[in-house]
Amino acid sequence: MDRLVQTAKIVCVIPARGGSKGVPLKNIRLLAGKPLITHTIEQVVKAQHDIEVYVSTDDLAIADIATQAGSRVIMRPDSLSGDKSTSESALLHALTEIETKGAIDYVVFLQCTSVFRSSTDIDRAINQIIKDESDSLLSVVPSHRFLWQVSDKGAESINYDFKHRPRRQDMEPQYQENGSIYIFRPWVLRQFNNRLGGKIALYQMDERSAIDIDSELDFKVAELLLSQCTENKIAHQ
């Protein structure tokens, strides 16, 4: 790890509000024996970078579990915790609180519903945004899908010419946002009210990382995949 990377002041913010209609108490529901949010907190704590991790929440139960897992907690007001509240509003509130203790170089924004990332992913993404001198970064997975849209003229192909259908492997590289890792300089959020802006970098991850836990089915799929990962680790010990 070079000196430029080592000296950067980095914080991580994990928004986790209490109200979840799709899956009640989703953020603290057990997944593979741990509360969902604990998986993400532990990934940050185990990273090689020195990262201060904060959970932004309106829920005391989430706050308690986050503290036990090794995170600091920022309690956000109800006005920023409703169904229509944006992640950016929670991030800006947290950033304002954190910056009272000193200036920050980069904010790592993680969503606890994306558990299929590793501490190594977090470290590599940080290294990339710093070395590339980018202002923001998002994680992605390669996409080889043929996309269509419906207009007044009917169905239209978007990313290829259906009259000259290419082989999937011959298509120009395209990437799907997977929602797992975002990193940005504080000024980006303040200027654009957006997690992305300025010079943007892409951090590529594997296809499994695109799983977002937002339903009962997602929980079952994640549980199965995590159990397989554990079995594979045991088998190779």
Side-chain angles (χ1 to χ4, degrees):
M1 194 182 300
D2 61 35
R3 185 176 180 279
L4 179 62
V5 174
Q6 286 180 320
T7 57
K9 175 67 174 179
I10 305 167
V11 301
C12 173
V13 179
I14 306 169
R17 67 187 183 91
S20 174
K21 293 183 178 179
V23 181
L25 304 177
K26 175 178 63 179
N27 290 322
I28 56 176
R29 178 168 168 172
L30 293 183
L31 175 67
K34 299 178 183 179
L36 181 62
I37 195 170
T38 298
H39 290 272
T40 295
I41 295 172
E42 290 183 348
Q43 290 162 2
V44 182
V45 171
K46 293 177 182 177
Q48 291 186 359
H49 285 283
D50 183 12
I51 309 171
E52 292 181 5
V53 54
Y54 295 84
V55 166
S56 167
T57 187
D58 62 324
D59 187 277
L60 292 177
I62 292 176
D64 184 53
I65 289 174
T67 300
Q68 292 178 39
S71 174
R72 305 180 189 188
V73 172
I74 295 175
M75 298 301 297
R76 69 173 115 140
D78 293 340
S79 60
L80 300 179
S81 305
D83 293 339
K84 296 183 179 180
S85 298
T86 64
S87 295
E88 273 72 14
S89 66
L91 290 168
L92 185 57
H93 174 263
L95 181 59
T96 301
E97 291 282 327
I98 297 168
E99 285 186 323
T100 60
K101 303 174 184 177
I104 298 167
D105 293 308
Y106 296 94
V107 178
V108 179
F109 163 35
L110 303 179
Q111 302 183 107
C112 60
T113 52
S114 298
V115 297
F116 292 99
R117 76 172 79 77
S118 66
S119 299
T120 300
D121 283 317
I122 296 171
D123 282 324
R124 287 176 176 172
I126 292 171
N127 291 343
Q128 182 175 336
I129 191 173
I130 294 176
K131 291 182 178 180
D132 290 353
E133 297 184 345
S134 296
D135 301 305
S136 57
L137 173 147
L138 69 152
S139 57
V140 297
V141 294
S143 175
H144 302 286
R145 298 182 179 183
F146 297 115
L147 302 179
W148 287 72
Q149 66 182 3
V150 177
S151 69
D152 294 338
K153 298 178 182 179
E156 300 175 335
S157 55
I158 299 175
N159 62 338
Y160 78 106
D161 181 357
F162 73 90
K163 296 177 183 177
H164 304 283
R165 191 181 189 91
R167 296 189 308 163
R168 289 165 63 92
Q169 59 267 39
D170 292 334
M171 294 179 67
E172 288 295 318
Q174 294 184 326
Y175 301 94
Q176 172 189 340
E177 191 169 336
N178 69 354
S180 183
I181 301 173
Y182 298 94
I183 307 176
F184 55 85
R185 295 180 183 270
W187 71 261
V188 171
L189 180 64
R190 296 192 186 281
Q191 181 172 328
F192 301 109
N193 193 32
N194 196 307
R195 68 197 73 177
L196 300 173
K199 180 183 176 183
I200 301 174
L202 300 181
Y203 174 71
Q204 186 171 324
M205 298 176 68
D206 62 40
E207 190 174 0
R208 185 184 60 169
S209 67
I211 297 174
D212 179 49
I213 302 176
D214 199 38
S215 68
E216 293 291 345
L217 177 60
D218 295 332
F219 263 99
K220 292 179 181 179
V221 171
E223 190 83 45
L224 176 62
L225 290 175
L226 286 172
S227 65
Q228 290 178 343
C229 290
T230 302
E231 290 172 0
N232 289 337
K233 286 181 181 179
I234 294 174
H236 288 86
Q237 287 179 350

